[in-house]
């Protein structure tokens, strides 16, 4: 029991890494509402240099400059969507961690549904056939049993 | 017969996906297709480097087919590219503009240009990545061909050299000049 706890603790301490904050204290806006919006926007924007991190998580300099830009535009009175549009117009959909639903991304969004439908169709056909065989099958089988 | 083939269909699909994904692995994920191609240069206005008379803004990019180069004194690849840019300017091939990106301090850029030579007609100081973000840049060096109307026509990621200039960039410049 004690050993189990100890092992759990050791493993947990290896896996659990304290969150590090990329956002520099001097970037943070005094207005907490604006800062909250900035954090929310930053979480949805991809860091172009590190690619699998948001600019909110990234320590890259370009990510830092983008965070500052996001805050400056918010202070200047841009809406959240306005800020995102501004950056998207320069870096493309790629900068959005959540890809938008539109013509070119239809396969991405609808593909899984399509495959699921194909699967359901396949399973349905399979079981229907199975049922038909069962209805016809046992009758033939019993006759065989009798003859043996 | 057709029923037999139906069982092969998943394998066939798997095969096609395998080929597709294997090809996908060959792609360089840092090469992001630019959305700015065929778009006007976004608005930007950069201050002059220390000791220079003029900065550089999007309004300077009108009337001539030109090259915009993002560089920095910290960037080794830029150092490798630099002699070729010098040659472009020396041979008056086309106007070359520079965005000096993210220097440590205000003297690093000017010092570097003094040492290596300055091929740029105008250079903008870009400590806060405003110019770089305007062009959707992810690293240096990156270069853009801008046409007479100030529209971005081509993005080149990495070093420009004799080979890729001749093969890719120069033909684009020549075509744009005829328009």
């Amino acid at each position: 029991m004690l050993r189990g706890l100890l092992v759990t603790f050791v493993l947990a301490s290896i896996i659990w890494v304290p969150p590090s904050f990329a956002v520099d204290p001097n970037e943070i806006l005094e207005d907490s509402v604006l800062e909250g919006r900035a954090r929310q926007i930053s979480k949805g924007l991809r860091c172009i240099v590190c690619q699998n991190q948001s600019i909110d998580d990234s320590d890259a300099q370009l990510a830092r400059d983008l965070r500052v830009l996001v805050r400056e535009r918010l202070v200047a009175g841009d809406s959240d969507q306005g800020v995102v549009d501004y950056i998207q117009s320069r870096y493309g959909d790629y900068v959005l961690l959540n890809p938008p639903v539109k013509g070119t991304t239809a396969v991405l969004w609808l593909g899984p549904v399509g495959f699921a439908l194909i699967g359901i169709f396949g399973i349905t056909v399979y079981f229907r056939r199975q049922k038909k065989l069962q209805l016809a099958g046992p009758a033939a089988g019993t006759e065989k049993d009798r003859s043996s | 017969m057709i029923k037999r083939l139906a069982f092969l269909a998943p394998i066939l699909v798997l095969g096609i996906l395998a080929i597709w994904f294997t090809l996908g692995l060959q792609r360089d994920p840092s090469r992001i297709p630019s959305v700015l191609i065929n778009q006007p240069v976004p608005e930007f206005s950069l201050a002059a480097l220390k000791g220079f008379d003029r900065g550089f803004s999007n309004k300077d990019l009108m009337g001539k087919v030109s090259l915009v180069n993002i560089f920095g004194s910290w960037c080794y690849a830029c150092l490798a590219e630099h002699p070729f840019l010098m040659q472009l300017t020396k041979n008056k091939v086309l106007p070359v503009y520079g965005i000096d990106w993210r220097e440590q301090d205000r003297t690093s850029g000017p010092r570097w240009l003094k040492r290596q030579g300055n091929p740029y007609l105008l250079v903008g100081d870009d400590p806060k990545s405003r110019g770089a973000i305007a062009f959707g840049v992810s690293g240096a060096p990156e270069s853009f061909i801008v046409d007479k109307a100030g529209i971005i026509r081509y993005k080149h990621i990495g070093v420009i050299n004799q080979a890729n200039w001749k093969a890719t960039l120069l033909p684009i410049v020549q075509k744009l000049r005829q328009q």
Side-chain angles (χ1 to χ4, degrees):
Chain A
M1 176 65 187
L2 203 66
R3 225 184 108 185
L5 269 178
L6 195 71
V7 169
T8 314
F9 178 75
V10 169
L11 283 180
S13 64
I14 294 168
I15 295 161
W16 188 79
V17 179
S20 63
F21 295 105
V23 180
D24 215 16
N26 62 29
E27 291 172 23
I28 292 169
L29 297 172
E30 273 178 34
D31 184 335
S32 62
V33 178
L34 277 187
E35 178 62 24
R37 283 168 63 197
R39 293 299 298 266
Q40 211 50 48
I41 294 170
S42 302
K43 284 197 173 102
L45 293 174
R46 187 196 300 270
C47 164
I48 294 296
V49 183
C50 19
Q51 302 205 342
N52 285 328
Q53 277 186 309
S54 73
I55 60 168
D56 194 58
D57 292 329
S58 172
D59 269 327
Q61 290 181 319
L62 185 57
R64 202 194 100 92
D65 288 342
L66 279 165
R67 283 199 300 271
V68 172
L69 182 75
V70 164
R71 284 168 174 77
E72 272 188 25
R73 295 204 70 92
L74 284 179
V75 170
D78 273 20
S79 68
D80 293 9
Q81 195 54 46
V83 175
V84 172
D85 287 347
Y86 179 88
I87 294 174
Q88 192 188 354
S89 69
R90 284 147 180 80
Y91 285 101
D93 291 347
Y94 190 79
V95 82
L96 305 174
L97 282 171
N98 222 350
V101 185
K102 57 182 197 184
T104 49
T105 57
V107 176
L108 184 69
W109 285 99
L110 301 178
V113 180
F115 280 115
L117 286 178
I118 292 171
I120 290 167
F121 178 74
I123 291 167
T124 315
V125 169
Y126 179 78
F127 278 111
R128 282 239 174 111
R129 228 180 253 165
Q130 217 53 354
K131 219 175 186 180
K132 253 187 214 165
L133 284 177
Q134 260 171 22
L135 285 178
T142 40
E143 241 166 62
K144 230 181 197 175
D145 286 344
R146 231 179 265 160
S147 64
S148 63
Chain B
M1 185 61 195
I2 287 171
K3 264 188 189 168
R4 282 274 164 85
L5 284 178
F7 280 102
L8 286 177
I11 298 169
L12 195 73
V13 171
L14 181 72
I16 291 168
L17 286 178
I19 292 169
W20 191 18
F21 290 147
T22 310
L23 287 178
L25 284 176
Q26 319 293 318
R27 284 180 51 217
D28 180 355
S30 65
R31 288 179 185 247
I32 308 153
S34 178
V35 282
L36 288 169
I37 304 301
N38 299 331
Q39 298 291 325
V41 175
E43 225 171 279
F44 68 92
S45 182
L46 299 171
L49 285 180
K50 206 178 174 202
F52 283 61
D53 305 332
R54 274 196 61 191
F56 172 41
S57 84
N58 58 310
K59 294 189 188 78
D60 296 313
L61 291 167
M62 288 298 222
K64 264 187 171 176
V65 179
S66 52
L67 188 76
V68 178
N69 177 247
I70 285 91
F71 74 100
S73 68
W74 45 269
C75 153
Y76 287 108
C78 303
L79 191 63
E81 180 183 58
H82 208 70
F84 187 74
L85 297 180
M86 291 295 289
Q87 211 181 310
L88 285 181
T89 299
K90 199 180 131 212
N91 298 335
K92 297 195 166 72
V93 182
L94 84 175
V96 182
Y97 296 92
I99 292 178
D100 188 7
W101 188 26
R102 285 212 70 110
E103 294 295 353
Q104 285 275 313
D105 58 75
R106 294 214 64 205
T107 57
S108 335
R111 257 189 293 138
W112 192 78
L113 285 177
K114 206 170 179 188
R115 208 163 49 230
Q116 310 299 334
N118 179 9
Y120 306 112
L121 189 59
L122 292 171
V123 191
D125 193 8
D126 194 14
K128 287 161 88 184
S129 302
R130 289 306 145 83
I133 292 170
F135 278 95
V137 161
S138 59
E142 277 187 23
S143 304
F144 295 82
I145 297 176
V146 178
D147 75 5
K148 293 170 196 166
I151 291 167
I152 298 175
R153 292 300 187 183
Y154 189 74
K155 174 186 187 175
H156 181 85
I157 297 173
V159 173
I160 297 178
N161 53 33
Q162 189 72 48
N164 58 36
W165 177 260
K166 264 197 154 162
T168 318
L169 291 129
L170 183 61
I172 294 168
V173 169
Q174 283 169 339
K175 213 178 116 199
L176 289 173
R177 279 211 181 114
Q178 281 159 13
Q179 282 172 9

